[in-house]
Amino acid sequence: MRSRFDEQLALLNKELIEMGALCEEVIKLASEALTERSAALAAKVAPLDSEIDQKERTIESMCLKLLLQQQPVAKDLRQISAALKMITDMERIGDQAEDIAEIISFLDGRPAENDDLMREMAKATIKMVTESVDAYVKHDIMLAEKVVAYDDTVDDYFDQVKRRLITKIAEEPADGEYALDLLMIAKYFERIGDHAVNIAEWVIFSVTGVHKEV
């Protein structure tokens, strides 16, 4: 019975890794669409978000079956409940990448102000998402704590972008709508970082039984 449970738990981990990889891919695609000013690239984001949504449903079903059909010990229970929490954040990451792509389609191929900062901010959020999922699979508390700490870097990028765009609005008020679109893109990247932090905190809970907010 335990070996069967372990097999199902390994399959759950595999599905989580695949969902995490989709999240990385969708953020990269949104970032490339912004950098390359490509509505065609932006249009590829929505189908990937649909795949992420499907993964969420699959993993949720697996978790519920493990809870109902097996008798998990406390550590297993924490891991399964953490997975259920994590997929909610992963699904939101997909949604926010799609939000970014939708805004890009309104920019009509115009280059982004602060392109360098946006690109670095996107890289930082991808790193956070990748490492938060890796931390879950490896039960690595130190890596999870590193993700939590790295959120300050993403927040700093957001503050820099915000300051530059506020200055642009003050100097060129007629271009305010464009600047606000870019500010929303930066905000979505910042939120993706927040979701990666949530994932990392649930990783810590799955190993230690302690959650920051509890």
Side-chain angles (χ1 to χ4, degrees), residues 125-145:
T125 55
I126 292 165
K127 174 183 169 74
M128 289 180 71
V129 172
T130 302
E131 292 187 348
S132 64
V133 177
D134 283 350
Y136 173 81
V137 174
K138 297 171 184 174
H139 310 293
D140 190 334
I141 296 175
M142 288 183 68
L143 184 57
E145 288 174 343

Side-chain angles (χ1 to χ4, degrees), residues 34 92-93 95-97 99-100 103 117-118 121-122 125 151 154-163 165 179-195:
L34 180 64
R92 292 298 299 138
I93 287 169
D95 287 348
Q96 280 154 5
D99 289 334
I100 290 168
I103 294 171
L117 275 176
M118 290 283 203
M121 190 175 185
T125 55
D151 190 44
V154 173
D155 289 345
D156 184 56
Y157 281 131
F158 176 68
D159 289 339
Q160 290 181 61
V161 171
K162 183 169 66 174
R163 284 196 298 270
L165 289 172
L180 286 173
D181 281 343
L182 293 179
L183 186 58
M184 282 306 301
I185 288 173
K187 185 62 182 174
Y188 285 130
F189 278 129
E190 189 260 343
R191 285 180 183 170
I192 288 169
D194 289 343
H195 287 299

Side-chain angles (χ1 to χ4, degrees), residues 12-28 48 51-53 55-56 59 83 86-87 89-91 93-94 125-137 192 196 199:
L12 171 63
N13 283 346
K14 179 175 175 289
E15 291 288 335
L16 268 169
I17 293 167
E18 289 176 3
M19 189 174 182
L22 283 170
C23 288
E24 293 169 45
E25 189 178 349
V26 82
I27 305 165
K28 285 179 184 173
L48 277 175
E51 285 187 50
I52 290 169
D53 291 345
K55 280 286 183 192
E56 182 192 28
I59 293 169
M86 287 165 61
I87 59 174
D89 282 292
M90 288 186 187
E91 190 272 336
I93 287 169
T125 55
I126 292 165
K127 174 183 169 74
M128 289 180 71
V129 172
T130 302
E131 292 187 348
S132 64
V133 177
D134 283 350
Y136 173 81
V137 174
I192 288 169
I199 292 168

